[in-house]
């Protein structure tokens, strides 16, 4: 079974703090993704990575950065958290070949106060 | 442009059929997916359909694709309380197969 894990289920941070969200997958997938999920907006892609040290901006990259130093790990970084970044963050991974589904982690609910 | 839309809520009685609808704007879809998100969990793939198919059936689930109208639906037969969740449709496009474009999600509530 594919397993995608995220470092925290719930996180509370203060405005201006630097926040790290970690995601690890155990299936040697090339592609990894970070989304945020907000009610009525669905899932929006923040960044994705198709290989180690490679990254592409998604639809809403502003205020975020990412790091992929190892194939199994993809980190999302909020350099200076703001209240409008309060959201559910979902990580996903999939093989590079087309037609394969994305496998999701359980999500991290981040609250910025 | 890329846009995938769903209605936000659906409420059905246990034992009835549920039909969740999705419309998309980009006709260059390759695969279309239905994901389910239970409370407090990530997304789980329910089923998918290749864009050259019209219908796919998998136990209680039936997916219908109308390419002319760019309309996708998911029918759940004999809906159970365990089917209560948020359902997302999503598509991948032929010119960018790395990316999934998600709909807004439909919250299905099943009452006894």
């Amino acid at each position: 079974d594919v397993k995608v894990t995220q470092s925290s289920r719930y996180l509370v941070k203060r405005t201006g703090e630097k926040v790290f969200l970690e995601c690890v997958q155990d299936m040697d997938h090339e592609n990894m993704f970070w989304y945020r999920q907000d009610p009525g907006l669905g899932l929006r892609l923040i960044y994705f990575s198709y290989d180690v040290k490679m990254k592409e901006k998604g639809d809403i990259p502003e205020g975020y950065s990412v790091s992929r130093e190892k194939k199994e790990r993809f980190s999302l970084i909020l350099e200076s958290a703001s209240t409008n970044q309060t959201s559910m963050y979902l990580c996903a991974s999939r093989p590079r070949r087309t037609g394969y589904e994305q496998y999701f982690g359980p999500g991290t609910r981040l609250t910025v106060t | 442009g890329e846009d995938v839309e769903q209605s936000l809520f659906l409420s059905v009685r246990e034992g009835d059929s549920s039909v969740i609808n999705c419309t998309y704007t980009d006709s260059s879809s390759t695969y279309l997916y239905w994901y389910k998100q239970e409370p407090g969990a990530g997304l789980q793939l329910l089923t998918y359909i290749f864009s050259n198919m019209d219908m796919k059936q998998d136990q209680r689930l039936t997916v219908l694709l109308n390419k002319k109208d760019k309309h996708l639906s998911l029918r759940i037969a004999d809906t159970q309380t365990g089917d209560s969740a948020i359902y997302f449709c999503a598509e991948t496009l032929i010119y960018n197969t790395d990316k999934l474009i998600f709909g807004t999600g439909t919250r299905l509530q099943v009452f006894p």
Side-chain angles (χ1 to χ4, degrees), chain A residues 37 51 90 111:
Chain A
Q37 180 183 4
D51 207 342
L90 291 164
T111 302

Side-chain angles (χ1 to χ4, degrees), chain A residues 9 31 33 35 37 40 42-43 45 48 59 90 94 98-102 104-106, chain B residues 8 31 33 35 37 40-43 45 86 88 92 97-100 102-105:
Chain A
R9 293 300 302 273
N31 292 4
F33 306 81
Y35 295 90
Q37 180 183 4
L43 272 71
L45 182 65
F48 73 97
D59 300 315
L90 291 164
R94 56 158 278 198
T98 58
Y100 283 82
E101 67 177 282
Q102 287 189 16
F104 282 83
Chain B
L8 290 180
Y31 288 90
Y33 304 82
Y35 279 85
Q37 184 182 36
L43 275 68
L45 181 70
I86 302 176
F88 291 93
T92 52
T97 54
D98 282 326
K99 193 176 164 184
L100 266 180
F102 283 89
T104 49

Side-chain angles (χ1 to χ4, degrees), chain B residues 42-72:
Chain B
L43 275 68
Q44 176 189 4
L45 181 70
L46 275 181
T47 187
Y48 67 93
I49 188 167
F50 191 50
S51 58
N52 68 355
M53 296 169 64
D54 298 323
M55 186 182 95
K56 181 178 180 182
Q57 188 147 5
D58 185 1
Q59 298 182 332
R60 292 190 298 124
L61 306 179
T62 303
V63 179
L64 293 177
L65 176 60
N66 181 330
K67 289 183 286 294
K68 176 175 166 289
D69 294 338
K70 300 191 185 72
H71 183 265
L72 180 75

Side-chain angles (χ1 to χ4, degrees), chain B residues 73-111:
Chain B
S73 68
L74 173 70
R75 178 176 180 271
I76 306 172
D78 187 25
T79 312
Q80 303 298 307
T81 53
D83 295 323
S84 294
I86 302 176
Y87 291 80
F88 291 93
C89 66
E91 62 172 349
T92 52
L93 304 177
I94 195 165
Y95 53 82
N96 189 349
T97 54
D98 282 326
K99 193 176 164 184
L100 266 180
I101 301 161
F102 283 89
T104 49
T106 299
R107 183 179 292 275
L108 174 66
Q109 184 177 4
V110 182
F111 58 93

Side-chain angles (χ1 to χ4, degrees), chain A residues 10-14 82-83 85-87 109-113:
Chain A
Y10 300 94
L11 211 51
V12 180
K13 295 291 182 181
R14 291 193 183 278
S82 63
T83 53
Q85 291 178 311
T86 291
S87 187
R109 185 164 292 283
L110 172 67
T111 302
V112 183
T113 61

Side-chain angles (χ1 to χ4, degrees), chain A residues 20-38:
Chain A
F20 292 86
L21 302 182
E22 305 282 341
C23 175
V24 177
Q25 49 95 3
D26 65 358
M27 283 302 291
D28 202 38
H29 288 168
E30 292 85 2
N31 292 4
M32 295 187 75
F33 306 81
W34 274 107
Y35 295 90
R36 65 176 280 175
Q37 180 183 4
D38 300 288

